[in-house]
């Protein structure tokens, strides 16, 4: 019987790998407007996360669909060293799927959204390393007008649009689809206070310290108050405008 490891235990010297994980999020990377790979963030029962990549030329076993929020047992995968300068998780390795993996869909092990909400003051003081993306939850103070940075290419809808937002006292800059989503929500909302979660956003530093956080294409997400049923346990941590 296979011994299942938690994500923190995985390293390249291990001969056989077996994990039980939830697909927290997934998206396609694009090359010349064509899908190149499916990238996923996986989470385990201890709350740890790790990035995984399914190349376009890899065919999943018959009957297996890797959908968000589903849990799987996964065996015999390959680990590769993470070399990116900005990372969605803190793991040293990521998973690359080949044709030899074995998958089995299982029942959920824990009820978790795998959010690790950063402290606003800690971010502003530089206590959060800019190499790692962070999660934030707070009240939307203001959202600027959409700006078209460049002309859209053939078939593009969101590219090169951005908007600036202030989340409590933290400056945020959104690009692409997330910029459009934020702008439309804020303009149409009738709520006295609009609360949102920014999942996996990048910290930018400049001369004098913190500048802003921004979304990374594919990785980053925005979740609004009306979509927060699964994160009600974090309500006590949401900073509201005083």
């Amino acid at each position: 019987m296979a011994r299942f490891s938690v994500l923190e235990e995985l390293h390249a010297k291990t001969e056989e790998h077996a994990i039980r994980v939830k697909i927290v999020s997934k998206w396609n990377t694009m090359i010349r407007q064509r899908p190149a790979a499916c990238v996923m963030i996986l989470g385990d029962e201890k709350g740890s996360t790790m990035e995984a990549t399914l190349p376009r030329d890899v065919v999943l076993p018959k009957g297996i669909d890797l959908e968000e929020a589903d849990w799987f047992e996964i065996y015999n995968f390959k680990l590769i060293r993470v070399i990116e300068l900005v990372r969605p998780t803190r793991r040293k390795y990521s998973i690359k799927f080949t044709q030899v993996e074995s998958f089995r869909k299982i029942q959920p092990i824990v009820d978790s959204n795998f959010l690790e909400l950063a402290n606003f003051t800690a971010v502003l003081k530089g206590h959060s390393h800019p190499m790692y993306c962070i999660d934030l939850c707070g009240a939307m103070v203001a959202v600027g007008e959409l700006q078209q940075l460049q002309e859209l290419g053939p078939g593009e809808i969101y590219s090169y649009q951005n908007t600036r937002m202030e989340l409590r006292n933290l400056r945020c800059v959104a690009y692409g689809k997330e910029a459009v989503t934020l702008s439309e929500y804020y303009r149409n909302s009738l709520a006295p206070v609009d609360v949102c979660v920014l999942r996996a956003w990048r910290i930018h530093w400049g001369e004098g310290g913190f500048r802003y956080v921004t979304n990374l294409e594919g990785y980053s997400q925005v979740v609004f108050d009306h979509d927060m049923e699964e994160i009600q346990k974090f309500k006590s941590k949401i900073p509201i405008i005083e």
Side-chain angles (χ1 to χ4, degrees):
M1 184 175 180
R3 175 188 177 276
F4 291 97
S5 301
V6 295
L7 296 177
E8 289 184 345
E9 297 175 341
L10 295 179
H11 55 82
K13 294 182 180 180
T14 305
E15 294 184 358
E16 295 184 357
H17 305 296
I19 54 175
R20 292 186 175 116
V21 291
K22 175 184 178 179
I23 300 178
V24 180
S25 61
K26 57 180 286 191
W27 63 93
N28 288 323
T29 58
M30 308 295 288
I31 296 180
R32 297 177 182 177
Q33 300 183 17
R34 297 183 61 184
C38 178
V39 183
M40 291 163 273
I41 300 297
L42 308 178
D44 67 14
E45 60 191 277
K46 298 297 184 180
S48 296
T49 56
M50 179 177 282
E51 185 178 351
T53 302
L54 178 70
R56 182 185 178 190
D57 57 354
V58 173
V59 180
L60 290 171
K62 185 177 180 181
I64 293 294
D65 293 311
L66 301 180
E67 300 294 342
E68 286 187 1
D70 285 345
W71 284 78
F72 290 89
E73 291 178 353
I74 308 176
Y75 308 85
N76 303 326
F77 47 85
K78 180 180 179 181
L79 289 175
I80 59 175
R81 188 81 180 190
V82 177
I83 60 173
E84 286 78 9
L85 296 179
V86 180
R87 307 172 185 182
T89 80
R90 291 181 173 269
R91 303 281 76 79
K92 295 180 180 179
Y93 298 96
S94 66
I95 294 172
K96 183 177 181 180
F97 294 127
T98 61
Q99 294 291 170
V100 300
E101 288 82 20
S102 175
F103 297 83
R104 188 171 77 89
K105 188 174 180 180
I106 60 174
Q107 292 297 314
I109 299 176
V110 295
D111 181 17
S112 174
N113 46 50
F114 298 93
L115 284 171
E116 296 183 16
L117 297 178
N119 180 277
F120 281 66
T121 302
V123 174
L124 291 169
K125 289 184 175 181
H127 297 165
S128 296
H129 199 295
M131 176 183 290
Y132 305 109
C133 293
I134 60 174
D135 303 329
L136 293 164
C137 185
M140 301 166 65
V141 177
V143 176
E145 297 293 334
L146 281 175
Q147 300 176 8
Q148 190 74 37
L149 304 184
Q150 295 183 27
E151 292 185 5
L152 294 177
E156 291 182 338
I157 301 175
Y158 303 112
S159 295
Y160 306 116
Q161 298 195 63
N162 84 327
T163 188
R164 298 180 185 276
M165 177 182 72
E166 186 174 346
L167 191 69
R168 197 186 180 191
N169 59 341
L170 205 68
R171 186 182 182 192
C172 313
V173 180
Y175 293 92
K177 180 180 178 180
E178 306 304 341
V180 176
T181 300
L182 280 167
S183 179
E184 290 182 350
Y185 176 85
Y186 192 72
R187 304 304 167 205
N188 295 322
S189 174
L190 299 177
V193 177
D194 293 302
V195 178
C196 72
V197 167
L198 307 182
R199 182 195 287 273
W201 281 51
R202 176 184 180 180
I203 300 171
H204 282 267
W205 286 92
E207 186 177 351
F210 174 83
R211 293 184 63 196
Y212 56 85
V213 297
T214 187
N215 59 306
L216 292 177
E217 184 178 359
Y219 292 105
S220 305
Q221 297 176 326
V222 180
V223 183
F224 297 107
D225 197 26
H226 58 76
D227 296 321
M228 286 187 182
E229 292 182 7
E230 63 167 355
I231 59 173
Q232 290 302 313
K233 56 187 173 182
F234 290 108
K235 280 290 189 179
S236 61
K237 299 180 182 180
I238 296 175
I240 302 298
I241 304 172
E242 297 178 357

